[in-house]
Amino acid sequence: MTKYIKILFVVVSCFLTSCDGDFEEINTDPNKSGEATFDPNLLLPRALYDYGQRTVGYEGPILFQSMWVQLLASPSTGGANYYDGGDKYVTTGGTFDYVQRIWNGVYTAASTANQMSKLATKKQLPNLAAIGTIVKIMCVSYISDVYGDVPYSEALLLDANISQPKYDKQQDLYPAMLAELDAAVKSLDVSGDKPSSDIYYNGDIAKWRSFGYSLMLKMAMRLTAADAVTAKSYVEKAAAGGVFASVADEAISPTQDATGFDNGNGASFTVAADVYEVRWSKVLIDYLKATNDLRLPVIAEVPGDGLAANKLYTGGNTNPANQIGFPNGYDTKGGATDVSLEPNYPGASGSGSDVAAIGKYSRPTPMYRNRTTPVFVLTYAQVQFLLAEAAIRGYAVSGTAAQFYKNGLIGAMTTLNKFGGTQIASGDATIYAAAHPLDISSTAAALKMINEQIWATTGLTGNWVEAWNNWKRSDYPALTPVNYTGNFSSGKIPTRQVYPSSEGSLNTASYTQAVSNMGGDTWITKVWWDK
């Protein structure tokens, strides 16, 4: 499917630069693409790639959510101090640039999907139009989960001369999106038109249907504490409609570094400073070691001794017994928060001028530094864990919580093989899952296990924002906030990103109303569903 990426993006770029949002007034110059000649299928890979790329790397997630939710950690010794916004909740020179990238980039993807849907409708391509709606909703729900109240009902309407859209309250937005998603998924017809440029499913409408219902499940489960009635209704619709049945159904965005369309996480992890300073957190490594998790030697390595070896891309020790996670909130600056003062500090590695103060802490293995690895958008494991929780809550889903949990654990391990690193055999994953069943002795025990697995699974596939969102919703795992000097969140784990500064100047009235409705535009203001 990656064959589409380079060619189609060139064609799409030509189209987007030759027209505006109003298809009725496109110049019909025969040397340019317009409504009459342009194939809306060519907009699909652009929307999908743009969405996936904004969920990874320096678009914000690896700098903020990965460390807010204590999957990664960084001492920020000086070479990569841009991680301070995540590890220590303090601003750096680039913080307010990074904080707006999800907003700008994902709205761009939503706009592309929306234009594709409108043009597909005119060209009588109903399946493509429905897929455009699904992608648009995926985008806007992502933006809302990060920022809170956002434009939707008046968004993406420049062709209707709406340049200052109102912000929809999230409590109104979610039911509206779920209803629109439901209609779009129901309209998909396996005997109808098939997308010709589909980098997710190669035109398989049945798989798009299962993706739509899986997205519905995820969105509905966001509402378990805020609107249990709506949550139950749409979870049951999704389960009855048919969600992912195996890891083969997962929504994964392919990448292709050779043509300039890389994986943003891989690109970040190959920055020289990041190779040395980005480590797995103590919370995550301790969690995996506690149950001898098969994923530990796949995802973590301790670099060779010394500073030079720590800066190499390869050459680590993956023995589970040697893995040590870095404690969030510590640095190497010699003050009260210097990691050498941490009670379990393992000591430096190397000697003389070749000393690495953090050299014994675990870092991601080379598979995470591969710039051509898939972006995991929504996985089978995540869906199965959410179904397990739904079953625990008494929702009408066909299956038991224990079986869903087992499926999820097997899926969580085997889907890592898509990174191309050390493989976990499905047989070994099955044996492990059988030996580590869901604790159903109480609702609290079951919810804890399920949501800790969602946190670990989404984190290990690089879906940092999803791990953070589910933590906000479920409060699992139990995390101890960092209270670093000068932090911007009053010593609390941030629960949202602040709005881009441009919104206050370019869409002032709508922005001001949204801030009033939400109770502030701060890093610790809670979005509506976060109870």
Side-chain angles (χ1 to χ4, degrees):
M1 287 185 288
T2 55
K3 68 182 180 181
Y4 295 125
I5 294 177
K6 184 176 182 181
I7 296 173
L8 295 181
F9 282 20
V10 171
V11 175
V12 169
S13 295
C14 292
F15 170 73
L16 292 177
T17 56
S18 68
C19 66
D20 60 20
D22 190 347
F23 286 117
E24 297 300 326
E25 298 179 3
I26 291 175
N27 189 323
T28 56
D29 182 338
N31 296 316
K32 295 183 179 181
S33 295
E35 178 183 349
T37 60
F38 188 78
D39 182 357
N41 280 282
L42 299 181
L43 292 172
L44 183 56
R46 178 85 258 180
L48 295 178
Y49 177 82
D50 280 355
Y51 172 78
Q53 191 66 0
R54 279 15 180 224
T55 68
V56 293
Y58 291 159
E59 299 305 308
I62 203 170
L63 301 176
F64 298 134
Q65 285 84 3
S66 71
M67 299 190 182
W68 288 346
V69 79
Q70 297 178 13
L71 288 157
L72 293 177
S74 176
S76 303
T77 62
N81 68 340
Y82 36 84
Y83 283 102
D84 279 347
D87 191 81
K88 301 171 182 65
Y89 328 149
V90 297
T91 57
T92 67
T95 294
F96 292 100
D97 170 25
Y98 297 128
V99 81
Q100 67 182 343
R101 292 187 181 185
I102 286 176
W103 181 282
N104 294 337
V106 181
Y107 264 126
T108 297
S111 178
T112 302
N114 191 51
Q115 294 289 13
M116 181 188 78
S117 185
K118 291 195 291 185
L119 185 54
T121 298
K122 290 183 177 182
K123 289 182 174 288
Q124 298 183 345
L125 299 170
N127 280 339
L128 186 63
I131 289 169
T133 297
I134 292 169
V135 175
K136 178 190 70 172
I137 291 168
M138 174 175 70
C139 291
V140 177
S141 64
Y142 184 84
I143 297 167
S144 180
D145 289 344
V146 172
Y147 297 95
D149 296 356
V150 299
Y152 183 66
S153 59
E154 293 185 358
L156 315 177
L157 293 176
L158 270 176
D159 52 352
N161 296 317
I162 297 177
S163 60
Q164 296 178 312
K166 72 175 184 179
Y167 286 56
D168 293 273
K169 294 180 180 179
Q170 196 179 60
Q171 57 263 48
D172 301 326
L173 172 62
Y174 250 83
M177 289 193 297
L178 284 166
E180 190 173 0
L181 177 62
D182 186 28
V185 177
K186 285 179 179 176
S187 74
L188 291 171
D189 181 358
V190 294
S191 64
D193 61 287
K194 298 183 184 303
S196 61
S197 306
D198 178 5
I199 64 173
Y200 276 13
Y201 297 120
N202 199 29
D204 190 328
I205 297 301
K207 286 189 179 293
W208 269 105
R209 180 183 289 159
S210 71
F211 170 69
Y213 280 123
S214 297
L215 176 63
M216 181 186 294
L217 170 68
K218 184 189 80 168
M219 289 174 60
M221 288 297 289
R222 288 275 196 266
L223 311 184
T224 51
D227 184 351
V229 173
T230 300
K232 182 176 185 293
S233 173
Y234 279 99
V235 165
E236 292 176 351
K237 282 185 181 183
V243 295
F244 293 158
S246 74
V247 295
D249 295 336
E250 295 176 335
I252 291 178
S253 180
T255 60
Q256 197 175 74
D257 184 47
T259 56
F261 301 102
D262 58 18
N263 180 314
N265 283 336
S268 301
F269 283 137
T270 52
V271 173
D274 298 30
V275 171
Y276 176 57
E277 297 188 21
V278 177
R279 306 286 159 140
W280 290 116
S281 77
K282 174 176 170 57
V283 178
L284 176 67
I285 296 298
D286 287 355
Y287 173 77
L288 297 176
K289 291 182 78 170
T291 58
N292 297 313
D293 196 297
L294 299 182
R295 291 170 288 186
L296 183 54
V298 175
I299 64 99
E301 66 176 12
V302 177
D305 288 346
L307 186 60
N310 266 256
K311 292 183 176 182
L312 294 176
Y313 287 2
T314 58
N317 181 341
T318 60
N319 186 332
N322 296 114
Q323 305 309 315
I324 303 172
F326 191 85
N328 291 90
Y330 283 88
D331 56 38
T332 56
K333 299 178 181 178
T337 50
D338 192 279
V339 72
S340 65
L341 302 177
E342 200 270 335
N344 298 307
Y345 179 58
S349 73
S351 61
S353 61
D354 187 39
V355 171
I358 62 171
K360 294 182 179 179
Y361 291 107
S362 301
R363 69 182 184 185
T365 50
M367 71 181 192
Y368 289 101
R369 295 191 283 277
N370 183 345
R371 298 165 70 107
T372 300
T373 51
V375 173
F376 291 82
V377 175
L378 185 59
T379 65
Y380 168 73
Q382 186 180 350
V383 166
Q384 291 296 302
F385 288 136
L386 289 172
L387 286 173
E389 179 175 338
I392 289 293
R393 291 181 178 276
Y395 297 173
V397 292
S398 181
T400 67
Q403 186 59 54
F404 288 133
Y405 181 84
K406 181 179 180 180
N407 295 344
L409 194 50
I410 295 169
M413 294 183 171
T414 56
T415 200
L416 283 181
N417 296 339
K418 295 179 181 180
F419 274 114
T422 301
Q423 303 287 291
I424 299 177
S426 59
D428 291 338
T430 300
I431 293 170
Y432 180 90
H436 297 84
L438 178 65
D439 182 353
I440 56 174
S441 62
S442 69
T443 297
L447 292 179
K448 178 177 184 293
M449 284 189 71
I450 292 165
N451 286 289
E452 285 178 347
Q453 279 294 341
I454 293 175
W455 166 79
T457 298
T458 51
L460 295 179
T461 53
N463 198 339
W464 322 110
V465 172
E466 189 56 40
W468 172 68
N469 280 327
N470 197 70
W471 168 78
K472 290 189 297 184
R473 179 189 70 89
S474 70
D475 293 327
Y476 293 113
L479 301 174
T480 301
V482 167
N483 196 2
Y484 198 82
T485 300
N487 72 81
F488 52 57
S489 61
S490 301
K492 298 178 182 179
I493 297 174
T495 50
R496 66 181 289 272
Q497 287 182 198
V498 295
Y499 290 123
S501 58
S502 59
E503 284 297 291
S505 57
L506 299 178
N507 193 10
T508 307
S510 297
Y511 163 80
T512 301
Q513 185 62 57
V515 171
S516 175
N517 291 340
M518 290 185 62
D521 183 17
T522 75
W523 300 89
I524 55 175
T525 303
K526 288 193 173 186
V527 302
W528 164 72
W529 55 251
D530 179 6
K531 305 297 183 183

